[in-house]
């Protein structure tokens, strides 16, 4: 889809030169597209680009994949193969071509219901950054939104939540929740119909399936029979918050424009799952959002697993435009309700009388600094040189413009230690 317009700024200079680059790949190694804003592009180069795009289409369309799936499920399990190298369900006629690839045999219905287990996670940091919810967190999210009364979930970059919903719906007639997955990972088109999955880029709000896919999404957002919709998204953490926010506002606008029987909310309810150190960036774009203390855990991310096991605690939180007091966090995991703040907080989060709020962001107990007039991390001390709190062994240097991610000086967002 469309490139994004960036600006190169060099220190001291106000105006930088503007250029277009790929919205989805934040690493030039993944996509080399680059064009100055004012650059004249020759006919030959345009033609070459188009040629390149034609040659880099997926081997099957979504429609073809849906038909292939229909054929696949009719095969006896002895004939169901999945090529791990091509990440593709294989029909018997194709076995030959993949004979020297690694493949899985006897694919079960249960496996087809959990494509996120079958497909390998695309972990390349700068593009897909596919980190899958731990079952505990996924189950928590689903129960939470059901308890809140939602019956439709727009799953934007949350394939595991989508598959949990689809899987329950296919096995239990009473289960009335529905989900539509929007994701850039086209491999999912092998498992879901056009009504269940749209190939979508959340950095530029591009539907690869064109107007038909847009219409699918619009229809899904239309709340019939009082079936309320919530959007749940878990974007790559390296992503530009402004680009994401702009797309999410467009999805919200889509929701608003569908005719509603009665508006309970002015804004489409949303869970945006993101690390706590992005709080101020998210609030810049969505001032009405609050950050919940719940720590979201992942399966394939060694660092982002639950704290109790001695591992590092997950920095990932839920940001939402719902009233914080409605978001009930599990007491068996140590969360408790703070009556002053009117929200659930983590066990280590102490209510600070001076700030009049539960101030910890990372789950540890924070301490109040009278000079800074706010609570700070337990490992920080007030530095009279810098006139603020910092790690004891920081170097007192004049701070330049901080990193866009964590706000600290000395590195750019691409090298932010919070992300690695
Ligand atoms: N925790 C989630 C997965 C989050 S990982 C779960 O378990 O369901 C981030 C997801 O965003 C991946 O599924 C990835 O394919 C998707 N993604 C990455 N870049 C994207 C983009 N530009 N547009 C849409 N989806 C994207
Ligand atoms: Zn293969
Ligand atoms: Zn409190
Ligand atoms: Zn305080
Ligand atoms: Zn201080």
């Amino acid at each position: 889809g469309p490139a994004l317009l960036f600006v190169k700024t060099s220190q001291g200079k106000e105006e930088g030169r503007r250029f277009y680059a790929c919205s989805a790949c934040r690493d030039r190694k993944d996509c080399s597209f680059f064009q100055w804003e004012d650059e004249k592009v020759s006919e030959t180069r345009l033609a070459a680009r188009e040629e390149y795009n034609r040659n880099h289409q997926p081997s099957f369309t979504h429609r073809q994949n849906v038909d292939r799936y229909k054929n696949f499920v009719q095969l006896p399990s002895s004939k169901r193969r999945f090529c791990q190298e091509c990440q593709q369900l294989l029909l018997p006629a194709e076995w030959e071509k993949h004979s020297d690839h690694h493949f899985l045999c006897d694919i079960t219905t249960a496996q087809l219901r959990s494509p996120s287990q079958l497909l390998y996670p695309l972990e390349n940091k700068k593009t897909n950054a596919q980190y899958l919810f731990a079952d505990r967190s996924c189950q928590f999210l689903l129960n939470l939104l059901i308890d809140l009364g939602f019956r439709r979930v727009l799953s934007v970059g949350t394939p595991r939540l989508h598959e949990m919903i689809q899987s329950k719906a296919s096995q239990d007639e009473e289960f009335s929740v529905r989900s539509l997955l929007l994701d850039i990972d086209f491999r999912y088109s092998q498992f879901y119909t056009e009504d269940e999955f749209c190939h979508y880029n959340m950095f530029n709000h591009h539907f690869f399936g064109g107007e038909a896919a847009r219409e699918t999404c619009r229809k899904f957002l239309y709340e019939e029979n009082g079936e309320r919709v919530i959007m749940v998204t878990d974007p790559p953490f390296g992503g530009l918050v402004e680009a994401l926010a702009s797309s999410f506002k467009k999805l919200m606008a889509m929701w608003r424009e569908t005719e509603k029987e009665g508006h309970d909310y002015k804004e489409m309810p949303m869970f945006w799952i993101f690390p706590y150190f992005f709080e101020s960036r998210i609030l810049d774009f969505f001032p009405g959002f609050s950050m919940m203390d719940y720590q979201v855990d992942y399966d394939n991310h060694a660092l982002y697993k639950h704290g109790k096991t001695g591992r590092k605690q997950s920095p990932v939180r839920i940001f939402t435009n719902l009233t914080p007091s409605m978001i009930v966090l599990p007491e068996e995991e140590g969360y408790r309700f703070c009556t002053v703040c009117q929200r659930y907080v983590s066990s280590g989060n102490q209510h600070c009388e001076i700030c009049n709020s539960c101030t910890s962001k990372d789950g540890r107990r924070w301490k109040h600094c009278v000079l800074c007039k706010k609570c700070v991390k337990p490992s920080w001390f007030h530095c009279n040189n810098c006139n603020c709190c910092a790690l004891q062994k920081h170097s007192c240097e004049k701070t330049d413009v901080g990193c866009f991610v964590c706000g600290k000086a000395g590195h750019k967002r691409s090298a932010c230690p919070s992300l690695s």
Side-chain angles (χ1 to χ4, degrees), residues 60-75 88-91 94 98 190:
F60 297 106
T61 63
H62 193 168
R63 189 86 287 265
Q64 284 169 324
N65 275 336
V66 172
D67 288 337
R68 291 167 54 82
Y69 184 84
K70 278 188 203 145
N71 293 330
F72 191 89
V73 291
Q74 274 160 19
L75 295 169
Q88 193 189 313
L89 297 172
L90 300 180
L91 296 171
E94 297 154 351
H98 299 261
Q190 298 181 84

Side-chain angles (χ1 to χ4, degrees), residues 152-249:
R152 290 203 207 177
V153 185
L154 185 66
S155 298
V156 183
T158 54
R160 193 157 265 185
L161 178 64
H162 175 73
E163 99 189 5
M164 186 176 267
I165 296 171
Q166 295 289 109
S167 166
K168 283 185 200 271
S170 71
Q171 293 172 81
D172 176 2
E173 273 183 34
E174 304 271 276
F175 187 84
S176 56
V177 184
R178 292 203 290 133
S179 170
L180 173 66
L181 176 64
L182 308 187
D183 202 289
I184 205 161
D185 186 351
F186 192 63
R187 296 175 306 170
Y188 283 100
S189 68
Q190 298 181 84
F191 304 91
Y192 301 120
T193 65
E194 291 99 327
D195 284 334
E196 298 165 327
F197 168 71
C198 298
H199 191 200
Y200 174 78
N201 182 352
M202 62 168 111
F203 289 115
N204 58 6
H205 188 59
H206 181 68
F207 285 86
F208 294 85
E211 194 44 46
R214 233 170 233 283
E215 193 49 38
T216 300
C217 183
R218 216 175 271 131
K219 273 214 195 105
F220 187 81
L221 295 178
Y222 178 81
E223 298 175 329
E224 300 162 296
N225 321 321
E227 285 186 351
R228 287 160 51 209
V229 182
I230 183 165
M231 171 177 152
V232 181
T233 185
D234 186 12
F237 304 149
L240 284 169
V241 174
E242 41 273 77
L244 292 169
S246 148
S247 298
F248 299 162
K249 287 191 179 190

